Amino acid sequence: MRKIWIFNKSIDLWVLGFPVWLTWLVCFVLPDHTLQQSMPLWFWVVIILGIDVTHVWSTIFRTYLDKEEFHTHRKLLISAPLIGLFVFFILAFFSTALFWTALAYLAVFHFIKQQYGFMQIYRAKYGFLNFSRRISDKTAIYVGMLYPVFYWHINHDRHFNWFIDGDFLNISSLLGNVSFWNDSALQITNQTCILLYFFILGFWLYEEISLHKKHGHRFPWGKVLWILTTAGNWYLGIVYFNSDLAFSLTNVVAHGVPYMALIFFYVEGKKQAKSKARQIRVVVNVCLMVLVMFVLAFGEEYMWDMFLFRENEAFFGHMLSYPFDVAETSLMQAMALAALSVPQVTHYILDGYIWKAKTNPHIKTVILRQL
């Protein structure tokens, strides 16, 4: 059978690694005054609409539009959007701020778990080498993401947010009420944490190299690059570049591109396992999926703009009119927020289940079959 394994050095570099590293280069090259500008419309269309929102809709090809997958996860696929709609309607009705805070933290959890999940795929590729070590792969990748998020919470000078201003808990404000907490304490905390951050990642890498030399196993380039790229991306996007453009670019590309690549590989991998298809057919199928995903993402963002924000009327207004007025009452706003967040919330929920090998027999036969 022709190999379609996505997790090999050449494809990893071009599909999973290169787009992220390219965003770093862009951020380093752009002058600071450009990075500090508000998000231009074209940037929103390409990055937010074209990657971020579009990747959310890629899940449907892995679930609702796959008869076998829908049958396997039927209860989950039906209950997830209903539960999400109910819970987030209640949140939005009682407090819009609480709605955005809950959605932001759910998104952060989802982003972190995705990076961990990809790391586990790499570990599986190299045979889950569980050598005795002081700092595990799990610790390394979680530290690489959680420290930048912690930094974000205690430093109130960030020029970006996850969804809206104030969606994260303002820990820096709470600490301001503590007698011993001042600018000096913040500076000491930041310096101590960043030293621990780089020490943990550096020592993990040192152990990885030492174990390779000691046992002579294949050096896990994919896993190492993934963990270091993840840590570098979160550090640069949140801590180093204090810019909404830099955060959005690094965050969205590093999350959306690998996820869509995995979806495409899985969907086409299942088809290849049953019957071979010509390369051109695979390319056509992927292009059609991208088109469908983008159209659905376009429709979703159009409704967000029509019923709630009207922030991107310059984009949608050139093609479509708004047949409905903006939701004005608390009830209508809560209904709009809850309904329009269903695709996103459902994506977050499903992603925690559909990639588990114990609930999906195709994980091993499609994703890990080249081991």
Side-chain angles (χ1 to χ4, degrees):
M1 181 179 294
R2 180 166 55 86
K3 290 186 177 182
I4 55 171
W5 172 252
I6 192 173
F7 295 93
N8 60 61
K9 290 182 181 179
S10 60
I11 299 183
D12 284 0
L13 289 175
W14 289 106
V15 178
L16 305 184
F18 181 75
V20 181
W21 305 331
L22 182 60
T23 65
W24 302 354
L25 178 62
V26 170
C27 291
F28 277 113
V29 169
L30 289 177
D32 186 65
H33 68 85
T34 301
L35 289 177
Q36 297 306 324
Q37 292 178 0
S38 59
M39 186 181 300
L41 181 61
W42 71 264
F43 183 93
W44 179 87
V45 173
V46 174
I47 303 300
I48 306 302
L49 175 59
I51 298 178
D52 193 21
V53 184
T54 296
H55 101 274
V56 169
W57 285 97
S58 68
T59 309
I60 65 173
F61 294 99
R62 172 72 176 74
T63 52
Y64 294 97
L65 299 183
D66 186 312
K67 292 182 180 179
E68 182 183 8
E69 299 286 347
F70 184 81
H71 177 76
T72 302
H73 304 287
R74 182 182 179 87
K75 291 182 179 180
L76 175 65
L77 295 179
I78 294 175
S79 62
L82 295 177
I83 292 173
L85 178 64
F86 175 77
V87 171
F88 279 88
F89 169 74
I90 298 298
L91 292 174
F93 183 74
F94 283 99
S95 171
T96 302
L98 184 60
F99 166 89
W100 286 113
T101 295
L103 192 62
Y105 281 106
L106 182 60
V108 172
F109 178 78
H110 165 71
F111 275 51
I112 289 174
K113 293 301 291 184
Q114 174 176 307
Q115 300 305 103
Y116 174 78
F118 270 89
M119 184 203 71
Q120 287 293 84
I121 294 177
Y122 278 117
R123 292 189 68 225
K125 176 185 177 182
Y126 291 99
F128 287 109
L129 301 175
N130 293 313
F131 298 121
S132 177
R133 57 191 306 163
R134 293 175 179 83
I135 298 177
S136 65
D137 297 335
K138 182 177 181 180
T139 299
I141 197 164
Y142 278 148
V143 167
M145 294 180 285
L146 291 177
Y147 163 69
V149 174
F150 172 74
Y151 181 92
W152 189 348
H153 277 71
I154 66 171
N155 290 270
H156 57 79
D157 62 342
R158 299 298 87 187
H159 297 161
F160 49 85
N161 50 67
W162 199 280
F163 290 122
I164 64 169
D165 289 337
D167 49 13
F168 275 2
L169 298 177
N170 192 348
I171 294 180
S172 60
S173 177
L174 296 176
L175 290 173
N177 298 322
V178 180
S179 58
F180 64 82
W181 188 259
N182 50 37
D183 290 341
S184 297
L186 175 61
Q187 185 177 4
I188 292 172
T189 301
N190 284 334
Q191 291 174 347
T192 303
C193 287
I194 199 168
L195 286 174
L196 286 172
Y197 174 74
F198 283 109
F199 172 78
I200 290 172
L201 291 175
F203 194 81
W204 165 82
L205 181 59
Y206 164 77
E207 280 195 299
E208 195 69 56
I209 296 172
S210 298
L211 289 170
H212 166 67
K213 292 181 178 179
K214 179 179 179 180
H215 297 281
H217 60 82
R218 286 185 302 160
F219 189 76
W221 284 106
K223 182 191 71 173
V224 170
L225 285 176
W226 183 258
I227 292 177
L228 293 181
T229 298
T230 296
N233 199 64
W234 287 60
Y235 178 82
L236 292 174
I238 296 175
V239 180
Y240 187 83
F241 293 111
N242 190 8
S243 158
D244 185 34
L245 286 178
F247 170 71
S248 300
L249 181 62
T250 57
N251 188 42
V252 169
V253 171
H255 180 74
V257 172
Y259 190 86
M260 286 190 285
L262 184 64
I263 290 289
F264 299 151
F265 168 76
Y266 182 87
V267 171
E268 290 304 312
K270 282 184 63 178
K271 295 177 182 178
Q272 291 281 14
K274 297 177 181 179
S275 60
K276 292 183 179 180
R278 298 179 63 181
Q279 190 69 32
I280 185 63
R281 183 60 185 172
V282 174
V283 173
V284 170
N285 289 342
V286 170
C287 290
L288 288 175
M289 282 191 282
V290 171
L291 178 61
V292 172
M293 289 154 44
F294 181 80
V295 169
L296 291 171
F298 180 95
E300 179 191 337
E301 285 301 306
Y302 169 66
M303 287 189 286
W304 276 103
D305 212 55
M306 176 168 57
F307 288 114
L308 291 168
F309 299 127
R310 298 291 171 96
E311 293 178 342
N312 299 301
E313 191 168 358
F315 174 67
F316 293 111
H318 286 299
M319 296 170 281
L320 302 167
S321 61
Y322 293 121
F324 298 98
D325 295 329
V326 174
E328 296 181 352
T329 66
S330 297
L331 177 61
M332 292 302 296
Q333 289 178 358
M335 291 176 63
L337 285 169
L340 293 173
S341 67
V342 164
Q344 197 168 347
V345 173
T346 302
H347 167 70
Y348 296 158
I349 296 173
L350 297 183
D351 200 57
Y353 291 92
I354 60 177
W355 300 107
K356 294 183 181 295
K358 63 182 180 180
T359 60
N360 188 342
H362 294 293
I363 295 297
K364 292 183 178 179
T365 59
V366 176
I367 294 182
L368 304 178
R369 75 173 185 215
Q370 299 295 330
L371 301 180

